């Protein structure tokens, strides 16, 4: 349970870092980041999984890079639901998805 809470906090911190690095990616508070991390996780577990299964051939053809487009779509969708979390354009969402992926790899290496 503690590991799950740590991962949730690290994902929220990653969102704050992305907001600091990527123009057009806005997170107002830590509370907004925590809620956004939860919503993004739920959307990825449901809609993201379904979209990745449907677009698997395209994902294979692009060596997995198309999945960043799906992640950007999930970020844009979450920004419409979570107050205090805004992604102004799809370009900002795509760059944010790339930076988030890199931060998640870094955090996985640190926590394991």
């Amino acid at each position: 349970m503690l590991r799950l809470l740590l991962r949730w906090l690290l994902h929220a911190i990653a969102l704050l870092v992305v907001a600091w690095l990527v123009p057009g990616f806005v997170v107002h508070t830590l509370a907004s980041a925590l809620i956004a991390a939860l919503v993004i996780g739920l959307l990825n577990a449901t809609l993201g999984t379904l979209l990745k299964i449907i677009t698997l051939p395209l994902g294979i053809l692009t060596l997995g890079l198309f999945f960043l487009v799906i992640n950007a779509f999930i970020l844009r969708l979450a920004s419409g639901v979570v107050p205090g979390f805004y992604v102004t354009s799809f370009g900002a969402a795509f760059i944010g998805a790339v930076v988030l992926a890199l931060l998640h790899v870094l955090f996985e290496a640190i926590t394991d």
Side-chain angles (χ1 to χ4, degrees), residues 28 30 42 66 84 87-88 96-97 108:
H28 287 296
L30 178 61
L42 291 173
F66 185 74
V87 181
T88 58
E108 284 295 319

Side-chain angles (χ1 to χ4, degrees), residues 7-29:
R7 289 177 55 100
W8 182 34
L9 181 63
L10 286 176
H11 287 299
I13 291 170
L15 285 174
L16 291 170
V17 170
V18 171
W20 183 67
L21 290 174
V22 178
F25 203 99
V26 180
V27 180
H28 287 296
T29 63

Side-chain angles (χ1 to χ4, degrees), residues 6-105:
L6 176 66
R7 289 177 55 100
W8 182 34
L9 181 63
L10 286 176
H11 287 299
I13 291 170
L15 285 174
L16 291 170
V17 170
V18 171
W20 183 67
L21 290 174
V22 178
F25 203 99
V26 180
V27 180
H28 287 296
T29 63
L30 178 61
S32 296
L34 287 168
I35 294 168
L38 183 64
V39 170
I40 291 167
L42 291 173
L43 285 172
N44 263 332
T46 56
L47 184 62
T49 303
L50 179 67
L51 288 174
K52 288 174 185 169
I53 290 170
I54 291 170
T55 61
L56 186 61
L58 189 57
I60 292 170
L61 188 64
T62 61
L63 302 176
L65 292 177
F66 185 74
F67 297 140
L68 289 172
V69 173
I70 293 173
N71 288 343
F73 173 72
I74 296 293
L75 287 174
R76 287 281 290 175
L77 197 60
S79 74
V81 176
V82 179
F85 172 61
Y86 306 103
V87 181
T88 58
S89 68
F90 190 78
F94 185 78
I95 295 169
V98 171
V99 174
L100 273 175
L102 293 173
L103 287 173
H104 288 163
V105 168

